[in-house]
Amino acid sequence: MISKNKHYRGNFLLVLMVVFALIALGSTAFIFLKQEKNIGNKIYPNVYLDNQNFGLKSKDEIVDFYKKKSSELKNTTVTVFYTNEPVATYSAQTLGIKYDGKTTAERAYLIGRSTNLPSKYFQKFLSIFNLKRFDFESQIEYDNTELKDFLALSEDKYNLPAKNALFKFEREKVVEFRKESDGLKIKSNQFLPDFDKIVMSFKTEVSNKKVVLNSEVIKPEIKLSDINEYGIEEFIAEGKSDYTHSIPQRVHNLTLAASKFNGVLIPKGKVLSFNDAVGDISSLTGYQPAYVIKEGKTV
């Protein structure tokens, strides 16, 4: 008798559990279908755009929302700086800076509407029963054609090739000499991504922005110290004069004398002899009669 009672009690509990399960399943299905009907062509619940809940909003409402946000950008500017100086300024209207509301709305709308059937109903279930939050970030779009033109002009204006050193020694004279010099190159590949980041920062703060056009130093392949055995490593000084107000004969004589010095290599620890470098000064060596400056006067 006791055994039969236990058997009946066990069956009763099993039936009760099945009934509760069916009720729960039915309630879930009822809520699900009711919510589905309420949603219609609207965004599913728990869909967030830029951390704002757009559940049960229409695509048109999202587009209108981002149109309004785009209008807040129309008076802003982005100024480009190079070596701490402003070199260009672009307005939001010039570049067409605006939120891409249509794409953002479409991404939000696709939650619960996947072409993959299991994925679609799984998203619906998670959304309707508040089991998952779906987050999306809006995007700001703009036309960068003018920026590319600006970069091309900047490269022509600021880019400088590095120059290798020159040193050639013949017949006890330096016949070719040039100290190496660094070049400069605009970081064009970095500028557009940097500009993108600045534009995206409008999402958190609507204000005029600044972006830096960076450059890098290009080192020469050949240094002066690498191509001579005399320990010459740098260019020290240079003297120039055009002798504008001198008579032609004096200009001739000075040019001839200067040519005697050009390329003379002075060994370390030695003294330059002016007389030895210039040599004989006479008509036989090509000099012409001309006045000289003595004690501040021409004679």
Side-chain angles (χ1 to χ4, degrees), residues 51-274:
N51 212 34
Q52 184 169 335
N53 191 354
F54 279 86
L56 301 180
K57 301 287 186 182
S58 68
K59 287 197 290 185
D60 288 340
E61 286 179 293
I62 294 176
V63 171
D64 289 341
F65 174 81
Y66 282 108
K67 277 184 179 179
K68 183 179 179 181
K69 287 183 71 67
S70 294
S71 67
E72 297 172 358
L73 303 177
K74 65 180 182 180
N75 294 322
T76 58
T77 60
V78 180
T79 300
V80 183
F81 280 76
Y82 180 69
T83 60
N84 297 321
E85 294 292 333
V87 292
T89 298
Y90 298 96
S91 69
Q93 295 184 64
T94 299
L95 298 179
I97 298 175
K98 62 181 180 179
Y99 283 87
D100 186 2
K102 289 184 178 180
T103 301
T104 304
E106 190 62 32
R107 292 174 66 197
Y109 183 76
L110 288 176
I111 292 297
R113 296 178 175 90
S114 171
T115 55
N116 182 285
L117 198 62
S119 176
K120 177 171 72 173
Y121 280 98
F122 185 58
Q123 287 180 349
K124 288 175 183 280
F125 184 81
L126 294 176
S127 170
I128 289 173
F129 291 101
N130 197 25
L131 297 175
K132 182 180 178 180
R133 170 171 162 163
F134 298 88
D135 280 284
F136 296 97
E137 291 289 329
S138 63
Q139 295 297 314
I140 297 179
E141 60 182 5
Y142 63 97
D143 183 358
N144 64 6
T145 302
E146 288 202 27
L147 297 179
K148 291 179 178 178
D149 292 341
F150 164 74
L151 277 178
L153 292 173
S154 296
E155 288 172 354
D156 290 340
K157 184 176 181 179
Y158 301 119
N159 283 4
L160 292 172
K163 292 183 179 180
N164 290 327
L166 292 176
F167 187 90
K168 191 174 182 181
F169 190 65
E170 292 180 354
R171 298 178 183 179
E172 298 186 353
K173 275 198 172 185
V174 178
V175 294
E176 282 188 274
F177 178 87
R178 183 177 70 199
K179 177 76 168 67
E180 75 273 4
S181 61
D182 293 338
L184 194 69
K185 184 180 179 182
I186 296 297
K187 290 186 176 181
S188 300
N189 292 336
Q190 179 184 325
F191 178 72
L192 291 179
D194 286 348
F195 201 94
D196 276 339
K197 291 178 182 178
I198 292 299
V199 170
M200 292 305 144
S201 71
F202 280 126
K203 293 173 64 176
T204 55
E205 182 184 8
V206 179
S207 63
N208 294 334
K209 306 289 184 180
K210 298 178 182 178
V211 63
V212 177
L213 176 63
N214 291 302
S215 61
E216 59 182 329
V217 174
I218 307 299
K219 292 294 183 181
E221 296 178 356
I222 302 174
K223 296 182 179 180
L224 187 60
S225 58
D226 299 332
I227 57 173
N228 76 89
E229 57 187 37
Y230 304 101
I232 299 173
E233 297 184 356
E234 62 179 322
F235 180 78
I236 298 176
E238 181 180 26
K240 290 184 178 181
S241 177
D242 57 11
Y243 301 103
T244 302
H245 302 293
S246 295
I247 61 174
Q249 294 89 336
R250 183 169 185 267
V251 173
H252 169 81
N253 291 342
L254 289 169
T255 302
L256 179 59
S259 69
K260 305 290 185 179
F261 283 93
N262 189 37
V264 172
L265 187 64
I266 306 170
K268 185 177 181 180
K270 299 295 182 179
V271 177
L272 171 66
S273 170
F274 179 90

